[in-house]
Amino acid sequence: MLRDEELLLALLNSAPVIEGVPTDGLEGAAGRELARSWGGKGSADEVARLTRVRRALQTIVREDDGTAVGELAGVLDDAVRTPRITPSGVVWELHIPEDDRLVAGVVLAWSNVITEFPGRLRACANDECTQFLVDHSRPGTAKWCSMAVCGNRMKARTHARRAKS
Ligand SMILES: [Zn+2]
């Protein structure tokens, strides 16, 4: 089972632009395989719902105005959390229909990440990039999905612009 942040970023970043060409990792047989690797069933219905949730979450993170939250309506309708008392305290158990487990899990993962790291989930600052990141830097100023890819590319561009002017 993936950790919340891994699962969330895996979904958000499953449609990268490669060499200028938009791709979609959730398409076709590879998409069903990907869903299975995240702990899902890999059904066509599950992949379709993952695609819809991905679009909604990407919009929510990018626009930051909350209107896309409506697109997530229904995803958690059948989820129930019940308390169980154990010697080490109360444990909340999540009950969810097997077919909804992955799709609901992604939305819960998103919620956990933005609660645990407020303001740290963001889109890559390279506007030709479609990736997302969770900023774990101490000052909270990380801008790139990857320093190696987007960070260096954008720095090189700034240098080139400066050299020209
Ligand atoms: Zn990037």
Side-chain angles (χ1 to χ4, degrees), residues 123-126 133 141-147 150-152 154-155:
C124 178
N126 174 2
L133 64 138
T141 51
K143 289 156 81 174
W144 321 111
C145 63
S146 137
M147 199 57 215
C150 289
N152 286 337
M154 297 305 276
K155 272 190 184 152

Side-chain angles (χ1 to χ4, degrees), residues 56-72:
L57 289 177
Q58 287 176 334
T59 308
I60 291 166
V61 177
R62 281 206 194 97
E63 322 246 306
D64 204 25
D65 70 351
T67 48
V69 166
E71 308 211 4
L72 297 175

Side-chain angles (χ1 to χ4, degrees), residues 56-92:
L57 289 177
Q58 287 176 334
T59 308
I60 291 166
V61 177
R62 281 206 194 97
E63 322 246 306
D64 204 25
D65 70 351
T67 48
V69 166
E71 308 211 4
L72 297 175
V75 171
L76 296 176
D77 278 1
D78 297 321
V80 177
R81 236 176 208 161
T82 52
R84 190 164 58 86
I85 301 172
T86 75
S88 48
V90 174
V91 175
W92 288 89

Side-chain angles (χ1 to χ4, degrees), residues 12-54:
L12 286 175
N13 292 341
S14 61
V17 174
I18 298 171
E19 315 255 328
V21 181
T23 64
D24 187 349
L26 284 178
E27 255 171 24
R32 292 195 293 278
E33 190 51 49
L34 189 59
R36 270 192 291 273
S37 77
W38 294 336
K41 308 209 118 187
S43 67
D45 172 63
E46 182 183 66
V47 172
R49 287 188 292 153
L50 281 171
T51 304
R52 191 162 50 86
V53 165
R54 180 181 64 190

